[in-house]
Amino acid sequence: MRDEDRNDIRKLSLFSNMTSPAFDALMHAAYDQVFPAQLELIRQGEAANFLHVVLEGAVELYAHWQNRDTTMAVVQPVATFILAACMRDAPYLMSARTLQRSRIVLIPAVDVRAAFARDPGFALAAVQELSEGYRNLVRHAKNLKLRNARERLGAYLWQRSLDAGGAKGFVLPQEKRLLASYLGMTPESLSRAFKALREHGVHIDGMRVTITDAAALKALVQPNTLLDTALNIP
Amino acid sequence: MRDEDRNDIRKLSLFSNMTSPAFDALMHAAYDQVFPAQLELIRQGEAANFLHVVLEGAVELYAHWQNRDTTMAVVQPVATFILAACMRDAPYLMSARTLQRSRIVLIPAVDVRAAFARDPGFALAAVQELSEGYRNLVRHAKNLKLRNARERLGAYLWQRSLDAGGAKGFVLPQEKRLLASYLGMTPESLSRAFKALREHGVHIDGMRVTITDAAALKALVQPNTLLDTALNIP
DNA sequence: CATGAATGTTGATATTTGTCAATCAAAGGA
DNA sequence: TCCTTTGATTGACAAATATCAACATTCATG
C-alpha cells in the first residue's frame, strides 16, 4: 500500500485514535486494490468478510428485491462502508458497486473485530462511526416518509448547496437516474420534479444546478438537520 | 430500583457482559420511573441526556416535520432506545411517547459513555446493539423503497406470524393507525390493503389476524431476512 | 468524426395512494 | 346503561407517482 493512502486512511476518524501498532496490524492484513467502474464489490446476502475503505472513486450501496432496485447511499472518498455487517459478522444487507474506477482497501472483518477488542480508541471511534451512520439512516427514512418527491429533491439540492459552501451554483455529483433511485422515485418523476422546482427558485441545465431564489427554495423544503444529511467529504 | 427490574436489565445483551462494578455504577446513577400512557418522553431536537430502558409497557418512536408525523418504531420491554444519540452526545432525531403506562429506567448519557470507555465488555455490546439497530433501519428503508403498501402490510403480517412461533392466527400488537404510520401509509390505505390481502390468504377481524393461505401470502410478499425485521421480544 | 448505446425528457395514460366526508363500531367514563 | 369520544371503515374523488412509448441528448469509443 502506498504511504499516501495509508496516511489518508489514518486520518479517518475511525482510525485516527488507534495506537500505531494496532493500526499497523490492521493495515498489514489489508488489501489495496483498484477496481474498474461498474464492478460489483459486494452482493447482498453474502457473509461480511471485509470492511471497505474508499480511497479514490465512488461506490454505490444499493439493495434489490424481486426485480426492483434502489440506491441506498453513495460513498465518496475517504470513507468506510458496511462496518455494521462486519461488526455483527452477519450477511450484507446491501450490495455495492463502483461508480467509477476506484481504489479500495479491504480490511478483513476478523482483524477489525480483533482491533476493536484490543484498542479502546478504535472501539470508541467505531461506535461514533456506527452511531453517525445510524443517525443518517434515520434521516433518510424520515425524509422518505415525511416529504413528497418534490420536497425530497428540493431538500437534496439545498443540502448540496450548503455542502458546496453555500454556493448558488453547483454540479450534480451523480447521474440523475442514480439520484432518482436514491430519492425513492423514477427518473421520469425526477425530471418532472426538477421542472416543478423552477417555481421554487431552482434552475437546472444538464448536470448544472443554480439556486436562483434561495428564500423560495428554503420555504418549500424547510431544511432541518434532523432530516437532511450533510455529506462529510473532507 | 426493584431487584427484579435490575435483573431484567442485567439480562439485556447490552449489559450482560459488563463487569459487576461497572453495572452497579450505571444503575446507581439511573432513575426508575413509571409514566402514564401518551406521555411525551423525548422531543426530537433536544439534547440526548439519557439512555432509556423500557421495563414494562411500550414506547413509540416517531418523527415529525411541518405538520406531518410518522412512526419509526415501537419499543417493547425489555429493550433500550436512542443509544446512538447518547453515544454521539447529539440531539435526538426522534421523539418518544409511551403507548401505555410504562416503567422506564433513565440512565444518564454521561455515565453510559463513561462505562463505554471503562468496560470493554460493555463497549463490545454497545457496538453489537448499535449495529443491529443500524441493520434494522436498513431493512425498514429497503422495505419502504422496494415494496408497495400492500406488500409492506403482507410482509409485516408474515413476520408477526413467524414471531408468534409460526401461528396462523394472532392479534395485532398495536392499533391500526399506528401500524399504518409505521408502514408509511394512511389509516384508510391500511384498511384497503387489508381488504386487498383477502385475495392473498389473510383474514382480518378487528385486531385478530388469521393467515388462511400461507403459500399465497408468501408468494405475494416474498419474505426475506434482508428486508423483514424480526421482533426480539425475550 | 461517426455511430451506437446509454441517459434524459416529454406526453399520454394507468395505478397507487392520499384526502375528505360520512358512517360505523368499539371503548371508556359519568 | 347511556353517552361521548376515539378509532376504523367505506365511498367518492383528487393528487401523486409510475409506466409506457417516443424522441432527444449525451457520451464513449471505434
Side-chain angles (χ1 to χ4, degrees), chain A residues 13-14 51 80-88 112-113 116 122-139, chain B residues 83-85 87-88 93 116 123-135 137-138:
Chain A
S13 65
L14 183 57
L51 175 65
T80 65
F81 60 93
I82 40 113
L83 180 56
C86 287
M87 281 308 196
R88 291 232 62 136
V112 174
R113 290 192 291 270
F116 183 91
F122 180 65
L124 185 56
V127 165
Q128 297 300 318
E129 178 102 349
L130 269 174
S131 298
E132 197 52 33
Y134 179 91
R135 288 165 61 83
N136 284 336
L137 216 39
V138 170
R139 291 185 178 100
Chain B
L83 178 58
M87 281 310 202
R88 291 231 61 134
L93 296 179
F116 183 90
L124 186 56
V127 164
Q128 297 300 318
E129 179 103 346
L130 270 173
S131 298
E132 197 52 33
Y134 180 90
R135 288 165 61 81
L137 215 41
V138 170

Side-chain angles (χ1 to χ4, degrees), chain A residues 136-156:
Chain A
N136 284 336
L137 216 39
V138 170
R139 291 185 178 100
H140 189 58
K142 285 174 65 172
N143 197 31
L144 287 170
K145 293 178 84 173
L146 292 170
R147 287 191 177 125
N148 65 25
R150 192 184 59 176
E151 290 162 348
R152 290 199 297 277
L153 175 59
Y156 174 88

Side-chain angles (χ1 to χ4, degrees), chain B residues 201-213:
Chain B
V202 175
H203 180 259
I204 179 92
D205 177 24
M207 292 283 115
R208 165 151 264 107
V209 176
T210 312
I211 295 178
T212 56
D213 184 346

Side-chain angles (χ1 to χ4, degrees), chain B residues 151-212:
Chain B
E151 290 162 349
R152 290 199 297 278
L153 175 59
Y156 173 87
L157 297 175
W158 180 269
Q159 191 60 51
R160 292 298 75 75
S161 166
L162 277 191
D163 291 343
K168 289 190 304 176
F170 58 95
V171 176
L172 291 176
Q174 272 85 37
E175 57 185 25
K176 291 182 187 170
R177 65 201 197 108
L178 191 146
L179 177 58
S181 177
Y182 174 70
L183 294 175
M185 66 186 88
T186 59
E188 294 94 327
S189 290
L190 180 73
S191 190
R192 288 173 183 126
F194 267 119
K195 271 170 82 172
L197 285 181
R198 290 197 292 224
E199 309 292 306
H200 299 273
V202 175
H203 180 259
I204 179 92
D205 177 24
M207 292 283 115
R208 165 151 264 107
V209 176
T210 312
I211 295 178
T212 56

